[in-house]
Amino acid sequence: MNIMIVGGGLLGRKTAEMLDEAGHDVVLIDGNSENLAQLSPDFSGVTAVGFPMDIKSLRSAGIEGCDAVAVTTPDDNLNITVGQIAKNFFGIPKVIARISDPYRENIFERFGLQTVCPTNMAGDKLVTALTTPWQSRQISFGSTTISLQVVPVERRYFGHSTASLELQPGDGLFGVIKDGGQFLLKCQHEEIHLEPGDYLVCSRKID
């Protein structure tokens, strides 16, 4: 794929390097040449210095030949603007924008932009690490990331089955880890009896 990364900070550089290593044709554009100079010596993609919101700079860097664009600057407002330019002006079929403020995700989605929110991802991992002995896991399907959260079964559910659970909005039950460590996958037509010491494995879309 031909992919443009807009924003040469830590996230932009890491994304560009990973895509380049995977064999994609990558161009990284940033307004600061010092950011681009910090790329790995093994990076074989193209770099361009230019203001991300400038149409001439984007065109000069080759955005019109791209299959996808990722906008990764630290500025949410800049990301949504550049994302709209890439999607609506240049007609890029896949545009993904970084968003730091999780409460603004709906704004991005209304404009038809897919998002990645590092704040949500880090927050989910911190909460799980602080409160449970089990680490959460994240699985990505394209640009969508699913987090598998492990939470202890609340006392009020002891002696009941998984049919009685009241999960958080947007969560789904993936399975149950029993007190002895056995994992039971939640099947559609089967319920699992809950006991003290059990943990729920819940799935949640985080971006």
Side-chain angles (χ1 to χ4, degrees):
M1 293 179 65
N2 294 319
I3 303 174
M4 174 176 283
I5 309 297
V6 181
L10 286 171
L11 178 61
R13 293 197 303 272
K14 181 63 175 177
T15 304
E17 289 168 354
M18 292 174 67
L19 289 168
D20 179 59
E21 187 176 349
H24 297 283
D25 294 320
V26 184
V27 56
L28 176 62
I29 180 171
D30 191 89
N32 188 345
S33 60
E34 294 182 1
N35 284 337
L36 302 177
Q38 296 181 57
L39 281 162
S40 166
D42 296 327
F43 180 70
S44 62
V46 176
T47 60
V49 178
F51 183 56
M53 205 162 58
D54 181 53
I55 290 177
K56 290 183 179 179
S57 295
L58 294 171
R59 179 176 281 131
S60 178
I63 191 172
E64 290 173 309
C66 289
D67 304 303
V69 170
V71 193
T72 64
T73 82
D75 187 330
D76 284 358
N77 292 327
L78 179 59
N79 290 351
I80 193 171
T81 302
V82 176
Q84 286 183 276
I85 291 173
K87 187 174 185 66
N88 300 325
F89 185 84
F90 288 106
I92 305 301
K94 176 174 285 188
V95 178
I96 302 174
R98 166 190 181 171
I99 178 170
S100 300
D101 183 355
Y103 298 105
R104 304 182 68 188
E105 282 187 295
N106 290 336
I107 297 175
F108 281 67
E109 291 176 358
R110 284 201 299 268
F111 288 104
L113 301 177
Q114 293 178 286
T115 63
V116 171
C117 183
T119 306
N120 277 342
M121 297 170 72
D124 284 340
K125 192 164 187 177
L126 280 170
V127 169
T128 301
L130 288 167
T131 59
T132 75
W134 305 91
Q135 291 188 354
S136 65
R137 292 290 183 267
Q138 294 177 358
I139 306 172
S140 294
F141 302 94
S143 62
T144 299
T145 300
I146 302 298
S147 175
L148 295 179
Q149 301 288 329
V150 183
V151 296
V153 174
E154 296 179 27
R155 184 186 300 271
R156 59 183 171 139
Y157 296 124
F158 293 167
H160 298 277
S161 75
T162 49
S164 64
L165 291 172
E166 297 177 5
L167 301 178
Q168 295 293 323
D171 283 3
L173 182 62
F174 184 73
V176 175
I177 300 174
K178 302 300 288 182
D179 188 30
Q182 180 187 15
F183 174 76
L184 301 178
L185 181 66
K186 175 63 175 69
C187 298
Q188 184 176 1
H189 301 296
E190 296 181 10
E191 302 299 334
I192 301 172
H193 185 72
L194 301 174
E195 302 171 306
D198 290 349
Y199 285 83
L200 304 177
V201 182
C202 298
S203 60
R204 177 186 304 170
K205 178 183 175 183
I206 60 175
D207 62 61

